[in-house]
Amino acid sequence: MEIVNGELAPRLRTARLVLRGWQGSDFDAHAAMSADPDVMRYLGGPVDREEAWRRMAGHAGHWVLRGYGMWVVERQADGTLLGRVGLWNPEGHPGLEVGWHLARQAWGQGYAIEAARAAMEWAWTVLEAPRLISIIHPENAASIHVAERLGEGFLRHDDTEDEPAVIYGIERPRS
């Protein structure tokens, strides 16, 4: 993997978004999003700045250790950081996950679906991933809706990190 313009992650563009690697200047927006109780409702609850920093560093480090990870999602029109979307597979995870985590002001505008489709296409073509999963809190109807819109189907109920979860998944499309 090659670092371009200080970024380990490749840049992806969609009609409205830029998916890019993590930068130190992302921290304040990431910390604010991570402290929002509504945004963090299904992700273990809000966290302080120190924990937000550790999580951001973990996302950046995932690219180094795995060669893929979560991208920062920016709106092309104004460069606003909207959240993170991408691929996640830490040690002990049940599979290669496509996930999304957006700031409240980005909800309901199709950004999660648009960014996740770009991440999925990258996973199919670059990683040649045979399947992707999404791990979702069973009460998170909005994320279940996103998974279904992405073509994922319900696979099973599970418990991850001592939390109830539903796992959705999709097989790599045949060429």
Side-chain angles (χ1 to χ4, degrees), residues 30-51:
H30 172 73
M33 186 176 74
S34 299
D36 184 322
D38 290 332
V39 171
M40 299 298 291
R41 179 176 179 191
Y42 300 114
L43 296 170
V47 299
D48 63 20
R49 286 179 65 84
E50 289 177 9
E51 180 59 23

Side-chain angles (χ1 to χ4, degrees), residues 71-84:
W71 283 272
V72 170
V73 178
E74 281 184 355
R75 188 170 37 224
Q76 277 191 47
D78 59 10
T80 298
L81 189 147
L82 301 175
R84 61 176 165 80

Side-chain angles (χ1 to χ4, degrees), residues 16-19 22 29-30 32-41 43 70-75 80-86 99-116 140 142-143 146:
R16 301 178 296 164
L17 305 171
V18 174
L19 283 65
W22 292 87
H30 172 73
M33 186 176 74
S34 299
D36 184 322
D38 290 332
V39 171
M40 299 298 291
R41 179 176 179 191
L43 296 170
M70 289 281 177
W71 283 272
V72 170
V73 178
E74 281 184 355
R75 188 170 37 224
T80 298
L81 189 147
L82 301 175
R84 61 176 165 80
V85 172
W100 44 89
H101 180 200
L102 297 180
R104 191 180 336 173
Q105 75 266 19
W107 292 357
Q109 299 176 54
Y111 292 135
I113 294 166
E114 186 175 331
N140 190 343
S143 278
V146 170

Side-chain angles (χ1 to χ4, degrees), residues 158-174:
D158 206 335
D159 288 324
T160 59
E161 300 176 18
D162 299 323
E163 290 285 328
V166 289
I167 299 182
Y168 278 68
I170 187 171
E171 300 292 318
R172 181 178 173 195
R174 298 195 198 298

